[in-house]
Short mmCIF file of all heavy atoms in Angstrom, two decimals:
data_model
loop_
_atom_site.label_atom_id
_atom_site.label_comp_id
_atom_site.label_asym_id
_atom_site.label_seq_id
_atom_site.Cartn_x
_atom_site.Cartn_y
_atom_site.Cartn_z
N MET A 27 -19.65 -20.40 -21.61
CA MET A 27 -20.36 -19.28 -21.04
C MET A 27 -20.38 -19.40 -19.50
O MET A 27 -20.23 -18.39 -18.82
CB MET A 27 -21.78 -19.25 -21.59
CG MET A 27 -22.56 -18.08 -21.13
SD MET A 27 -23.70 -17.65 -22.42
CE MET A 27 -24.48 -16.28 -21.71
N VAL A 28 -20.57 -20.60 -19.01
CA VAL A 28 -20.58 -20.80 -17.56
C VAL A 28 -19.20 -20.54 -16.99
O VAL A 28 -19.08 -19.90 -15.93
CB VAL A 28 -21.04 -22.24 -17.22
CG1 VAL A 28 -20.88 -22.52 -15.74
CG2 VAL A 28 -22.49 -22.45 -17.65
N ILE A 29 -18.16 -20.98 -17.69
CA ILE A 29 -16.80 -20.75 -17.20
C ILE A 29 -16.49 -19.26 -17.16
O ILE A 29 -15.87 -18.78 -16.21
CB ILE A 29 -15.77 -21.51 -18.08
CG1 ILE A 29 -15.96 -23.01 -17.87
CG2 ILE A 29 -14.36 -21.08 -17.74
CD1 ILE A 29 -15.07 -23.86 -18.72
N GLY A 30 -16.93 -18.53 -18.17
CA GLY A 30 -16.73 -17.08 -18.18
C GLY A 30 -17.41 -16.41 -16.99
O GLY A 30 -16.84 -15.52 -16.36
N PHE A 31 -18.61 -16.88 -16.67
CA PHE A 31 -19.32 -16.34 -15.52
C PHE A 31 -18.57 -16.65 -14.23
O PHE A 31 -18.43 -15.79 -13.35
CB PHE A 31 -20.74 -16.91 -15.45
CG PHE A 31 -21.49 -16.51 -14.22
CD1 PHE A 31 -21.95 -15.21 -14.05
CD2 PHE A 31 -21.72 -17.42 -13.20
CE1 PHE A 31 -22.63 -14.83 -12.91
CE2 PHE A 31 -22.39 -17.06 -12.05
CZ PHE A 31 -22.85 -15.76 -11.91
N LEU A 32 -18.08 -17.89 -14.09
CA LEU A 32 -17.34 -18.27 -12.90
C LEU A 32 -16.04 -17.48 -12.76
O LEU A 32 -15.64 -17.11 -11.66
CB LEU A 32 -17.07 -19.76 -12.90
CG LEU A 32 -18.31 -20.65 -12.74
CD1 LEU A 32 -17.92 -22.11 -12.87
CD2 LEU A 32 -19.01 -20.38 -11.44
N VAL A 33 -15.37 -17.21 -13.88
CA VAL A 33 -14.17 -16.39 -13.85
C VAL A 33 -14.51 -14.98 -13.37
O VAL A 33 -13.79 -14.39 -12.57
CB VAL A 33 -13.48 -16.37 -15.23
CG1 VAL A 33 -12.41 -15.29 -15.30
CG2 VAL A 33 -12.90 -17.72 -15.56
N LEU A 34 -15.62 -14.45 -13.85
CA LEU A 34 -16.06 -13.12 -13.43
C LEU A 34 -16.39 -13.09 -11.94
O LEU A 34 -16.02 -12.15 -11.23
CB LEU A 34 -17.28 -12.69 -14.25
CG LEU A 34 -17.81 -11.30 -13.97
CD1 LEU A 34 -16.77 -10.25 -14.32
CD2 LEU A 34 -19.07 -11.06 -14.77
N VAL A 35 -17.06 -14.12 -11.44
CA VAL A 35 -17.37 -14.20 -10.01
C VAL A 35 -16.09 -14.30 -9.20
O VAL A 35 -15.93 -13.62 -8.18
CB VAL A 35 -18.31 -15.41 -9.72
CG1 VAL A 35 -18.41 -15.67 -8.23
CG2 VAL A 35 -19.68 -15.17 -10.32
N HIS A 36 -15.16 -15.12 -9.66
CA HIS A 36 -13.88 -15.28 -8.96
C HIS A 36 -13.13 -13.94 -8.91
O HIS A 36 -12.62 -13.55 -7.86
CB HIS A 36 -13.04 -16.33 -9.69
CG HIS A 36 -11.69 -16.53 -9.12
ND1 HIS A 36 -11.46 -17.25 -7.98
CD2 HIS A 36 -10.47 -16.08 -9.52
CE1 HIS A 36 -10.16 -17.24 -7.71
NE2 HIS A 36 -9.55 -16.53 -8.64
N PHE A 37 -13.08 -13.23 -10.01
CA PHE A 37 -12.41 -11.94 -10.08
C PHE A 37 -13.09 -10.93 -9.14
O PHE A 37 -12.43 -10.18 -8.43
CB PHE A 37 -12.43 -11.42 -11.52
CG PHE A 37 -11.78 -10.10 -11.69
CD1 PHE A 37 -10.40 -9.98 -11.69
CD2 PHE A 37 -12.54 -8.95 -11.85
CE1 PHE A 37 -9.79 -8.74 -11.84
CE2 PHE A 37 -11.95 -7.72 -12.00
CZ PHE A 37 -10.58 -7.61 -11.99
N SER A 38 -14.42 -10.95 -9.12
CA SER A 38 -15.17 -10.02 -8.26
C SER A 38 -14.88 -10.27 -6.79
O SER A 38 -14.67 -9.33 -6.02
CB SER A 38 -16.67 -10.15 -8.53
OG SER A 38 -16.96 -9.82 -9.86
N PHE A 39 -14.89 -11.56 -6.38
CA PHE A 39 -14.59 -11.87 -4.99
C PHE A 39 -13.15 -11.49 -4.64
O PHE A 39 -12.89 -11.01 -3.53
CB PHE A 39 -14.81 -13.35 -4.70
CG PHE A 39 -16.24 -13.68 -4.36
CD1 PHE A 39 -16.95 -14.61 -5.09
CD2 PHE A 39 -16.88 -13.04 -3.30
CE1 PHE A 39 -18.25 -14.91 -4.78
CE2 PHE A 39 -18.18 -13.34 -2.98
CZ PHE A 39 -18.88 -14.28 -3.72
N ALA A 40 -12.23 -11.70 -5.55
CA ALA A 40 -10.84 -11.33 -5.29
C ALA A 40 -10.70 -9.83 -5.08
O ALA A 40 -9.99 -9.38 -4.17
CB ALA A 40 -9.95 -11.80 -6.44
N MET A 41 -11.37 -9.05 -5.90
CA MET A 41 -11.31 -7.59 -5.75
C MET A 41 -11.98 -7.16 -4.44
O MET A 41 -11.47 -6.29 -3.74
CB MET A 41 -12.00 -6.92 -6.94
CG MET A 41 -11.29 -7.14 -8.26
SD MET A 41 -9.62 -6.51 -8.28
CE MET A 41 -9.93 -4.77 -8.23
N LEU A 42 -13.10 -7.77 -4.10
CA LEU A 42 -13.81 -7.43 -2.87
C LEU A 42 -12.95 -7.75 -1.64
O LEU A 42 -12.81 -6.92 -0.74
CB LEU A 42 -15.13 -8.19 -2.79
CG LEU A 42 -15.96 -7.98 -1.53
CD1 LEU A 42 -16.45 -6.54 -1.46
CD2 LEU A 42 -17.12 -8.95 -1.49
N LEU A 43 -12.36 -8.93 -1.62
CA LEU A 43 -11.52 -9.30 -0.48
C LEU A 43 -10.27 -8.43 -0.39
O LEU A 43 -9.84 -8.05 0.70
CB LEU A 43 -11.12 -10.77 -0.58
CG LEU A 43 -12.25 -11.76 -0.32
CD1 LEU A 43 -11.75 -13.18 -0.58
CD2 LEU A 43 -12.78 -11.62 1.08
N GLY A 44 -9.68 -8.10 -1.54
CA GLY A 44 -8.52 -7.20 -1.53
C GLY A 44 -8.88 -5.83 -0.99
O GLY A 44 -8.12 -5.23 -0.22
N HIS A 45 -10.05 -5.34 -1.37
CA HIS A 45 -10.50 -4.03 -0.89
C HIS A 45 -10.76 -4.06 0.62
O HIS A 45 -10.36 -3.15 1.35
CB HIS A 45 -11.75 -3.62 -1.65
CG HIS A 45 -12.30 -2.29 -1.25
ND1 HIS A 45 -11.61 -1.12 -1.49
CD2 HIS A 45 -13.43 -1.93 -0.62
CE1 HIS A 45 -12.31 -0.10 -1.02
NE2 HIS A 45 -13.42 -0.58 -0.48
N LYS A 46 -11.44 -5.11 1.09
CA LYS A 46 -11.69 -5.24 2.53
C LYS A 46 -10.38 -5.35 3.31
O LYS A 46 -10.25 -4.79 4.40
CB LYS A 46 -12.56 -6.46 2.82
CG LYS A 46 -14.02 -6.26 2.48
CD LYS A 46 -14.82 -7.47 2.91
CE LYS A 46 -16.29 -7.23 2.76
NZ LYS A 46 -17.07 -8.36 3.27
N ASN A 47 -9.42 -6.06 2.76
CA ASN A 47 -8.13 -6.19 3.42
C ASN A 47 -7.43 -4.84 3.51
O ASN A 47 -6.84 -4.49 4.53
CB ASN A 47 -7.26 -7.20 2.66
CG ASN A 47 -5.98 -7.50 3.38
OD1 ASN A 47 -5.88 -7.34 4.58
ND2 ASN A 47 -4.98 -7.92 2.63
N ALA A 48 -7.50 -4.06 2.43
CA ALA A 48 -6.87 -2.74 2.44
C ALA A 48 -7.53 -1.81 3.45
O ALA A 48 -6.86 -1.03 4.13
CB ALA A 48 -6.94 -2.13 1.04
N ILE A 49 -8.84 -1.90 3.58
CA ILE A 49 -9.55 -1.08 4.57
C ILE A 49 -9.15 -1.49 5.98
O ILE A 49 -8.89 -0.65 6.84
CB ILE A 49 -11.08 -1.19 4.37
CG1 ILE A 49 -11.48 -0.50 3.08
CG2 ILE A 49 -11.82 -0.60 5.56
CD1 ILE A 49 -12.93 -0.72 2.70
N ALA A 50 -9.11 -2.79 6.23
CA ALA A 50 -8.77 -3.28 7.57
C ALA A 50 -7.33 -2.95 7.94
O ALA A 50 -7.02 -2.67 9.09
CB ALA A 50 -8.99 -4.79 7.64
N ARG A 51 -6.43 -2.99 6.95
CA ARG A 51 -5.02 -2.75 7.20
C ARG A 51 -4.75 -1.27 7.40
O ARG A 51 -3.81 -0.89 8.09
CB ARG A 51 -4.21 -3.28 6.02
CG ARG A 51 -2.76 -3.46 6.29
CD ARG A 51 -2.06 -4.17 5.15
NE ARG A 51 -2.28 -3.53 3.89
CZ ARG A 51 -2.75 -4.13 2.81
NH1 ARG A 51 -3.05 -5.40 2.83
NH2 ARG A 51 -2.92 -3.48 1.68
N GLY A 52 -5.55 -0.41 6.81
CA GLY A 52 -5.35 1.03 6.92
C GLY A 52 -4.16 1.48 6.08
O GLY A 52 -3.93 0.95 5.00
N LYS A 53 -3.42 2.43 6.58
CA LYS A 53 -2.30 2.97 5.82
C LYS A 53 -1.02 2.16 5.98
O LYS A 53 -0.06 2.38 5.28
CB LYS A 53 -2.04 4.42 6.21
CG LYS A 53 -3.15 5.34 5.80
CD LYS A 53 -2.79 6.78 6.05
CE LYS A 53 -3.93 7.66 5.55
NZ LYS A 53 -3.55 9.04 5.47
N SER A 54 -1.02 1.24 6.93
CA SER A 54 0.20 0.45 7.13
C SER A 54 0.27 -0.65 6.07
O SER A 54 -0.71 -1.31 5.77
CB SER A 54 0.21 -0.17 8.53
OG SER A 54 -0.86 -1.06 8.69
N LYS A 55 1.42 -0.81 5.51
CA LYS A 55 1.65 -1.83 4.48
C LYS A 55 2.47 -2.95 5.08
O LYS A 55 3.05 -2.82 6.16
CB LYS A 55 2.41 -1.22 3.29
CG LYS A 55 1.71 -0.06 2.64
CD LYS A 55 0.49 -0.53 1.91
CE LYS A 55 -0.19 0.64 1.22
NZ LYS A 55 -1.41 0.30 0.59
N TYR A 56 2.53 -4.05 4.36
CA TYR A 56 3.38 -5.14 4.81
C TYR A 56 4.83 -4.71 4.68
O TYR A 56 5.24 -4.15 3.68
CB TYR A 56 3.14 -6.39 3.97
CG TYR A 56 1.75 -6.93 4.10
CD1 TYR A 56 0.86 -6.90 3.05
CD2 TYR A 56 1.31 -7.47 5.30
CE1 TYR A 56 -0.41 -7.40 3.17
CE2 TYR A 56 0.04 -7.97 5.44
CZ TYR A 56 -0.81 -7.94 4.37
OH TYR A 56 -2.07 -8.43 4.50
N GLU A 57 5.62 -4.99 5.70
CA GLU A 57 7.01 -4.57 5.69
C GLU A 57 7.89 -5.74 6.10
O GLU A 57 7.65 -6.38 7.11
CB GLU A 57 7.20 -3.40 6.67
CG GLU A 57 8.55 -2.78 6.58
CD GLU A 57 8.63 -1.53 7.45
OE1 GLU A 57 7.62 -0.82 7.56
OE2 GLU A 57 9.70 -1.29 8.01
N VAL A 58 8.87 -6.00 5.28
CA VAL A 58 9.80 -7.08 5.56
C VAL A 58 11.20 -6.49 5.56
O VAL A 58 11.65 -5.93 4.57
CB VAL A 58 9.70 -8.20 4.51
CG1 VAL A 58 10.72 -9.27 4.79
CG2 VAL A 58 8.30 -8.77 4.49
N ASN A 59 11.87 -6.58 6.69
CA ASN A 59 13.21 -6.03 6.81
C ASN A 59 14.29 -7.10 6.88
O ASN A 59 15.46 -6.79 6.79
CB ASN A 59 13.31 -5.15 8.06
CG ASN A 59 12.43 -3.93 7.96
OD1 ASN A 59 12.18 -3.43 6.89
ND2 ASN A 59 11.95 -3.48 9.10
N ILE A 60 13.89 -8.33 7.08
CA ILE A 60 14.86 -9.40 7.29
C ILE A 60 14.92 -10.28 6.04
O ILE A 60 13.89 -10.76 5.56
CB ILE A 60 14.46 -10.26 8.51
CG1 ILE A 60 14.38 -9.38 9.75
CG2 ILE A 60 15.43 -11.41 8.70
CD1 ILE A 60 13.78 -10.07 10.95
N ARG A 61 16.11 -10.47 5.52
CA ARG A 61 16.29 -11.39 4.38
C ARG A 61 16.59 -12.77 4.93
O ARG A 61 17.42 -12.94 5.82
CB ARG A 61 17.44 -10.92 3.50
CG ARG A 61 17.15 -9.59 2.85
CD ARG A 61 18.15 -9.34 1.80
NE ARG A 61 17.65 -10.03 0.62
CZ ARG A 61 18.13 -9.85 -0.58
NH1 ARG A 61 19.14 -9.05 -0.76
NH2 ARG A 61 17.63 -10.49 -1.62
N GLN A 62 15.89 -13.75 4.40
CA GLN A 62 16.09 -15.12 4.85
C GLN A 62 17.32 -15.71 4.18
O GLN A 62 17.62 -15.41 3.02
CB GLN A 62 14.87 -15.96 4.53
CG GLN A 62 13.62 -15.49 5.22
CD GLN A 62 12.41 -16.32 4.82
OE1 GLN A 62 12.50 -17.19 3.97
NE2 GLN A 62 11.29 -16.01 5.42
N LYS A 63 18.02 -16.56 4.90
CA LYS A 63 19.19 -17.23 4.33
C LYS A 63 18.74 -18.20 3.25
O LYS A 63 17.74 -18.90 3.41
CB LYS A 63 19.95 -17.99 5.40
CG LYS A 63 20.63 -17.08 6.39
CD LYS A 63 21.42 -17.89 7.39
CE LYS A 63 22.10 -16.97 8.39
NZ LYS A 63 22.87 -17.71 9.38
N GLY A 64 19.48 -18.26 2.17
CA GLY A 64 19.19 -19.20 1.11
C GLY A 64 18.16 -18.72 0.11
O GLY A 64 17.84 -19.43 -0.84
N VAL A 65 17.60 -17.52 0.30
CA VAL A 65 16.62 -16.98 -0.64
C VAL A 65 17.34 -16.01 -1.56
O VAL A 65 17.91 -15.02 -1.12
CB VAL A 65 15.47 -16.27 0.10
CG1 VAL A 65 14.50 -15.66 -0.89
CG2 VAL A 65 14.75 -17.23 1.01
N THR A 66 17.32 -16.31 -2.84
CA THR A 66 18.03 -15.47 -3.81
C THR A 66 17.18 -14.28 -4.23
O THR A 66 15.95 -14.27 -4.06
CB THR A 66 18.39 -16.29 -5.06
OG1 THR A 66 17.18 -16.73 -5.68
CG2 THR A 66 19.26 -17.48 -4.69
N TRP A 67 17.85 -13.30 -4.82
CA TRP A 67 17.15 -12.13 -5.33
C TRP A 67 16.15 -12.53 -6.40
O TRP A 67 15.05 -12.00 -6.47
CB TRP A 67 18.16 -11.14 -5.90
CG TRP A 67 17.51 -9.89 -6.41
CD1 TRP A 67 17.25 -8.77 -5.69
CD2 TRP A 67 17.02 -9.65 -7.72
NE1 TRP A 67 16.63 -7.83 -6.48
CE2 TRP A 67 16.48 -8.35 -7.74
CE3 TRP A 67 16.99 -10.39 -8.89
CZ2 TRP A 67 15.92 -7.80 -8.87
CZ3 TRP A 67 16.42 -9.84 -10.03
CH2 TRP A 67 15.89 -8.55 -10.01
N GLU A 68 16.52 -13.50 -7.24
CA GLU A 68 15.66 -13.92 -8.33
C GLU A 68 14.34 -14.50 -7.81
O GLU A 68 13.28 -14.25 -8.37
CB GLU A 68 16.36 -14.94 -9.22
CG GLU A 68 17.50 -14.37 -10.03
CD GLU A 68 18.82 -14.33 -9.27
OE1 GLU A 68 18.86 -14.78 -8.11
OE2 GLU A 68 19.79 -13.84 -9.85
N SER A 69 14.41 -15.31 -6.75
CA SER A 69 13.18 -15.91 -6.24
C SER A 69 12.29 -14.88 -5.56
O SER A 69 11.07 -15.04 -5.53
CB SER A 69 13.49 -17.05 -5.28
OG SER A 69 14.15 -16.56 -4.13
N GLU A 70 12.85 -13.83 -5.01
CA GLU A 70 12.05 -12.78 -4.39
C GLU A 70 11.39 -11.88 -5.43
O GLU A 70 10.36 -11.28 -5.17
CB GLU A 70 12.91 -11.91 -3.47
CG GLU A 70 13.34 -12.61 -2.21
CD GLU A 70 14.17 -11.72 -1.31
OE1 GLU A 70 14.49 -10.57 -1.72
OE2 GLU A 70 14.50 -12.15 -0.21
N ASN A 71 11.99 -11.77 -6.60
CA ASN A 71 11.51 -10.84 -7.63
C ASN A 71 11.14 -11.57 -8.91
O ASN A 71 11.37 -11.07 -10.00
CB ASN A 71 12.58 -9.79 -7.91
CG ASN A 71 12.88 -8.99 -6.67
OD1 ASN A 71 12.05 -8.23 -6.21
ND2 ASN A 71 14.06 -9.17 -6.11
N ILE A 72 10.53 -12.73 -8.80
CA ILE A 72 10.23 -13.56 -9.95
C ILE A 72 9.27 -12.87 -10.91
O ILE A 72 9.36 -13.04 -12.12
CB ILE A 72 9.72 -14.96 -9.51
CG1 ILE A 72 9.76 -15.94 -10.66
CG2 ILE A 72 8.33 -14.86 -8.94
CD1 ILE A 72 11.15 -16.39 -10.99
N SER A 73 8.36 -12.07 -10.39
CA SER A 73 7.40 -11.41 -11.29
C SER A 73 8.09 -10.36 -12.14
O SER A 73 7.65 -10.09 -13.26
CB SER A 73 6.25 -10.78 -10.49
OG SER A 73 6.76 -9.76 -9.66
N MET A 74 9.16 -9.75 -11.65
CA MET A 74 9.89 -8.76 -12.46
C MET A 74 10.71 -9.42 -13.55
O MET A 74 10.91 -8.85 -14.61
CB MET A 74 10.81 -7.92 -11.55
CG MET A 74 10.05 -7.01 -10.63
SD MET A 74 11.02 -5.91 -9.59
CE MET A 74 12.69 -6.29 -9.84
N ILE A 75 11.17 -10.63 -13.30
CA ILE A 75 12.04 -11.32 -14.26
C ILE A 75 11.26 -11.74 -15.49
O ILE A 75 11.74 -11.62 -16.62
CB ILE A 75 12.72 -12.54 -13.58
CG1 ILE A 75 13.65 -12.04 -12.48
CG2 ILE A 75 13.46 -13.38 -14.60
CD1 ILE A 75 14.21 -13.16 -11.62
N PHE A 76 10.05 -12.24 -15.31
CA PHE A 76 9.29 -12.80 -16.42
C PHE A 76 8.33 -11.82 -17.07
O PHE A 76 7.41 -12.22 -17.77
CB PHE A 76 8.53 -14.05 -15.95
CG PHE A 76 9.46 -15.19 -15.67
CD1 PHE A 76 9.68 -15.63 -14.39
CD2 PHE A 76 10.13 -15.81 -16.70
CE1 PHE A 76 10.53 -16.66 -14.12
CE2 PHE A 76 10.98 -16.85 -16.46
CZ PHE A 76 11.20 -17.30 -15.17
N LYS A 77 8.48 -10.53 -16.84
CA LYS A 77 7.60 -9.55 -17.50
C LYS A 77 8.17 -9.17 -18.83
O LYS A 77 9.26 -9.21 -19.16
CB LYS A 77 7.43 -8.32 -16.63
CG LYS A 77 6.46 -8.58 -15.53
CD LYS A 77 6.12 -7.29 -14.82
CE LYS A 77 5.07 -7.60 -13.78
NZ LYS A 77 4.64 -6.46 -13.07
#
């Protein structure tokens, strides 16, 4: 029960910080135009591979 509460607190803080970050950043998003040498497509898109 305590672990569930701590997970809920952790999730709440993550959402709060993400929201504050979005407000501070405004409409501009992170933009990366330069590909680093030695970085493969698979390592950049790892979340798409394992879905």
Side-chain angles (χ1 to χ4, degrees):
M27 184 149 181
V28 173
I29 292 177
F31 174 72
L32 292 176
V33 168
L34 183 63
V35 169
H36 177 77
F37 180 76
S38 299
F39 275 123
M41 295 300 291
L42 178 66
L43 289 175
H45 180 67
K46 284 185 172 185
N47 187 24
I49 290 172
R51 196 172 54 235
K53 293 187 177 193
S54 63
K55 302 290 182 185
Y56 297 113
E57 188 173 325
V58 177
N59 295 330
I60 302 170
R61 295 192 85 167
Q62 297 177 357
K63 291 182 180 180
V65 177
T66 63
W67 181 89
E68 291 85 2
S69 65
E70 289 181 355
N71 298 292
I72 196 74
S73 63
M74 292 183 355
I75 295 171
F76 290 111
K77 282 190 177 182

